[in-house]
Amino acid sequence: LKEWTLEDGDVVIWHYVNDYSYEVADWFDDDPRYPSLGGGTYHNKWLSAPDVAPSAGQIPGGNPGGGSGGNAQEPETIIKPSVQIDKNGQAKVSIDKDSMKEVVDQAMKDASATIVIAPEIRGTASKVLVDVPSASLSAISSNTVANLTVETPIGSITIPNDALGAIAKQTTGSTVTISFGEVNPADLTPEQSAAAGSKTVYDISLLSGGKYISDFGGMSITISLPYALKAGENADDVTVWYLSDEGKLERIRCKYDAKTGLATFTTPHLSNYVVGLDSWPNPFTDVKAGDWFYTAVKFVSREELFNGTSKTQFSPNAEMTRAMLVTVLYRLEGMPAVKGANAFKDVAPGEWYTDAVLWATENGIATGYGNGLFGTHDAITREQMAAMLYRYAQFKKYDTRKTNNLTGFSDSGSIASYALTAIKWANAEELITGRTSTTLAPKGIATRAEVSAILMRFTMNLGINAKS
């Protein structure tokens, strides 16, 4: 079979082996329409048939442990209203209550994860305004599990389901206007203009009854803004800044996708934003372009999550200690104030790690050994690191349901019981992979380079794309 015309509803299965007895039996949850062609044996190694090479461990990025979660596209309900650009370069679309009711009903039926409003705009708009009935936001929040995404050529915004209800309660009009615009340089203050330079400034806002809505019920929303990467520019250097009324630039952690040309970030408020480049002057003589950890060290250094062991040394192969890891997580959280008393004999007052240890133990992210010991300067094992990351993800209310069974790793039986669920999750999220194709080394010591890479993946894949 070389050609087949696909139609809506067709199911495509790619067979990676030429022996169908290796087919996974439960791809479709025992759906009688798609019976297993094999004997029902579940194989958790892709490409493990004896007459097929390479094996799972030889595939770049391959995962020897089978699991659940995958990368399947979550269901979406999409509405694409047509809109014309007016003489002022603005594209405004109003979605009526009946149209939104149809969308909400369809999202309920399909259990959609996201409702997407994607206006079809003819021409190039300098500003896009989308009006949505206030009651529809309440209906989405109350009757579905869906987030709301509005996609425009100027940018996109995703509002979590829980935040929709909080927004709906603040409306003073019958509609909510979601606005995307490029700010006219003439409308900037001299301070803002000097800070932005030649970069485009974007204004993203929510309004109802002429009043701005800025409270999202304590939740963050996700924004994507365009940036066209020019020849010679590095995608890792694309950066988003919040531009204050006083003309101050505050760097925001973002994830740039060179394929879509979008820089994505999360924020608890809406305002003016700038997208541009921020190159990293590498201060470390032991971290060079081409090292597997270069991008990760660049990330944690620029985000001020890690310091070097000196002004010119990062020490990528040095052991990571328990104090170092809780300090990194504490910085990632923004270094909040701590209240609890120090219960550990090996945590000295006033040290660089003291507040981080107190914060981590207060919030259940780290525990001590007992007998008043935290193990402050002990090297952290990979399973201890997984446990702390898992608890931190739960603390942040990220989705921690993904799991891998780890049977493809010969040393999975040596994982401590307290860390087993955490490592299954961390492996499924591709945060912690094998030291080799068949070993996890749960008792192995984590290096600073390893933790840098894991923290970068955690922040970019969970922190920015988190789903509560």
Side-chain angles (χ1 to χ4, degrees):
L1 179 66
K2 293 185 178 180
E3 283 188 9
W4 186 266
T5 301
L6 291 175
E7 298 178 355
D8 286 349
D10 283 354
V11 174
V12 179
I13 302 173
W14 292 97
H15 293 282
Y16 288 90
V17 297
N18 57 9
D19 180 351
Y20 280 20
S21 68
Y22 280 77
E23 183 174 343
V24 176
D26 61 354
W27 275 341
F28 294 94
D29 297 321
D30 297 322
D31 191 322
R33 295 176 299 169
Y34 308 108
S36 171
L37 300 180
T41 301
Y42 184 93
H43 287 262
N44 57 54
K45 279 190 177 182
W46 293 108
L47 295 176
S48 59
D51 58 339
V52 175
S55 70
Q58 296 171 313
I59 306 169
N63 183 1
S68 63
N71 295 314
Q73 182 68 40
E74 292 182 318
E76 295 180 339
T77 300
I78 304 175
I79 180 171
K80 297 183 176 182
S82 296
V83 56
Q84 298 282 352
I85 299 174
D86 65 20
K87 62 182 180 180
N88 297 316
Q90 296 187 3
K92 183 172 182 178
V93 58
S94 297
I95 305 176
D96 61 68
K97 188 188 303 183
D98 291 339
S99 296
M100 282 304 299
K101 184 179 185 305
E102 290 181 15
V103 170
V104 173
D105 288 346
Q106 189 64 45
M108 291 172 60
K109 178 181 177 182
D110 297 340
S112 296
T114 309
I115 292 174
V116 180
I117 301 174
E120 294 183 333
I121 302 171
R122 298 174 185 174
T124 303
S126 60
K127 190 170 186 177
V128 179
L129 301 101
V130 179
D131 288 346
V132 181
S134 303
S136 298
L137 300 186
S138 295
I140 296 171
S141 178
S142 301
N143 302 329
T144 79
V145 296
N147 302 326
L148 176 64
T149 294
V150 178
E151 296 177 350
T152 80
I154 299 177
S156 69
I157 184 171
T158 296
I159 305 172
N161 183 276
D162 290 345
L164 292 171
I167 291 171
K169 291 177 182 177
Q170 301 173 65
T171 57
T172 56
S174 60
T175 63
V176 173
T177 300
I178 304 169
S179 172
F180 303 82
E182 296 180 5
V183 179
N184 187 330
D187 294 332
L188 297 173
T189 66
E191 294 80 9
Q192 289 177 320
S193 182
S198 61
K199 301 179 182 70
T200 301
V201 179
Y202 296 93
D203 177 36
I204 316 295
S205 58
L206 267 66
L207 301 96
S208 180
K211 295 183 179 179
Y212 288 95
I213 296 175
S214 57
D215 181 7
F216 307 127
M219 303 189 69
S220 291
I221 60 175
T222 301
I223 295 174
S224 295
L225 295 175
Y227 182 81
L229 205 63
K230 302 175 183 65
E233 293 183 343
N234 191 333
D236 293 334
D237 291 334
V238 176
T239 303
V240 175
W241 294 269
Y242 156 63
L243 178 62
S244 72
D245 292 341
E246 295 76 25
K248 303 293 185 181
L249 288 175
E250 180 181 322
R251 195 173 186 279
I252 300 175
R253 192 173 294 123
C254 74
K255 180 178 182 179
Y256 182 71
D257 187 332
K259 292 181 180 179
T260 63
L262 293 173
T264 300
F265 60 98
T266 60
T267 178
H269 61 85
L270 293 175
S271 187
N272 290 336
Y273 300 98
V274 179
V275 186
L277 291 186
D278 182 23
S279 59
W280 179 58
N282 180 7
F284 304 122
T285 58
D286 55 354
V287 177
K288 302 185 184 304
D291 289 338
W292 69 264
F293 48 77
Y294 176 85
T295 300
V297 172
K298 176 181 179 179
F299 173 82
V300 296
S301 174
R302 190 159 58 180
E303 297 294 335
E304 299 181 351
L305 300 177
F306 275 47
N307 294 323
T309 53
S310 75
K311 290 183 178 180
T312 59
Q313 296 286 303
F314 185 79
S315 303
N317 297 316
E319 295 177 343
M320 189 81 173
T321 67
R322 287 168 56 84
M324 287 179 183
L325 183 57
V326 293
T327 299
V328 168
L329 296 178
Y330 182 55
R331 290 172 181 161
L332 189 60
E333 188 59 21
M335 301 176 66
V338 294
K339 301 175 183 176
N342 180 11
F344 300 109
K345 294 181 288 187
D346 57 350
V347 175
E351 293 291 336
W352 56 268
Y353 56 79
T354 306
D355 284 352
V357 172
L358 298 182
W359 166 80
T361 53
E362 279 177 15
N363 293 287
I365 294 162
T367 57
Y369 293 156
N371 298 320
L373 296 176
F374 182 77
T376 307
H377 300 297
D378 290 352
I380 193 165
T381 66
R382 286 161 59 84
E383 64 183 9
Q384 288 175 346
M385 174 177 59
M388 287 190 194
L389 287 174
Y390 181 70
R391 294 173 192 142
Y392 180 62
Q394 291 184 314
F395 168 76
K396 297 294 290 181
K397 295 183 171 58
Y398 296 161
D399 187 344
T400 56
R401 291 174 295 178
K402 277 189 178 182
T403 184
N404 272 354
N405 60 37
L406 306 180
T407 55
F409 296 106
S410 60
D411 57 353
S412 60
S414 66
I415 300 170
S417 58
Y418 77 86
L420 183 58
T421 299
I423 290 189
K424 286 182 176 181
W425 163 80
N427 185 251
E429 290 286 2
E430 298 183 357
L431 301 176
I432 297 178
T433 55
R435 276 269 176 89
T436 71
S437 62
T438 58
T439 59
L440 269 171
K443 310 295 185 188
I445 301 302
T447 67
R448 285 169 55 86
E450 283 180 321
V451 177
S452 297
I454 290 166
L455 260 293
M456 181 179 71
R457 291 194 289 265
F458 179 93
T459 304
M460 304 305 283
N461 297 340
L462 281 91
I464 291 180
N465 297 327
K467 293 176 183 177
S468 304

